[in-house]
Amino acid sequence: MGDGKETIRLRIRTIFKSLCSLYPFSKVFSTILDNGLISKNSRTRAESADELGSLFQGHGVTLFPIAKALPLIARLIGDRDASVRSAALTAIGSAYSLVGADVIYKHIG
């Protein structure tokens, strides 16, 4: 997900979208959560947060473990790369639009 070429990143996004039709959304979500958000590559972290945000928007937050995901995504807000910060805020914003402020504040702290 963190390749330098935009065309490769777009193809990987389409692969993730097709993976969601083969595997349960929660499994794809947890794989991105466990592997993408802790990567050393900033583009990978940004793309992972972006993908998690799109999964929130597309499928809601009830299918995913948001108690585990939101603190990890919120940790990316303090990243030094602007694209990672922006993607993390977008992902939290998409979860916020679905569940509201109380749930977000409870899980992020």
Side-chain angles (χ1 to χ4, degrees):
M1 292 180 85
D3 196 88
K5 298 175 186 158
E6 183 65 29
T7 56
I8 301 296
R9 287 195 306 261
L10 288 175
R11 288 181 182 174
I12 290 173
R13 278 192 177 188
T14 58
I15 289 171
F16 272 109
K17 295 210 186 305
S18 63
L19 273 177
C20 287
S21 64
L22 297 173
Y23 291 103
F25 303 115
S26 58
K27 188 166 183 102
V28 174
F29 183 84
S30 64
T31 302
I32 294 172
L33 187 68
D34 294 339
N35 299 317
L37 294 183
I38 59 170
S39 176
K40 292 181 181 178
N41 188 342
S42 63
R43 279 195 190 116
T44 302
R45 290 191 307 268
E47 291 290 325
S48 297
D50 240 2
E51 189 64 32
L52 292 177
S54 67
L55 283 173
F56 280 146
Q57 285 179 344
H59 306 290
V61 294
T62 58
L63 299 175
F64 309 119
I66 61 169
K68 179 184 173 187
L70 287 178
L72 290 175
I73 295 171
R75 202 175 307 155
L76 294 178
I77 294 172
D79 199 274
R80 63 182 173 187
D81 190 10
S83 62
V84 175
R85 290 191 307 261
S86 174
L89 287 172
T90 303
I92 290 175
S94 63
Y96 175 84
S97 67
L98 294 171
V99 295
D102 295 335
V103 175
I104 298 295
Y105 290 139
K106 182 177 95 174
H107 291 299
I108 290 177

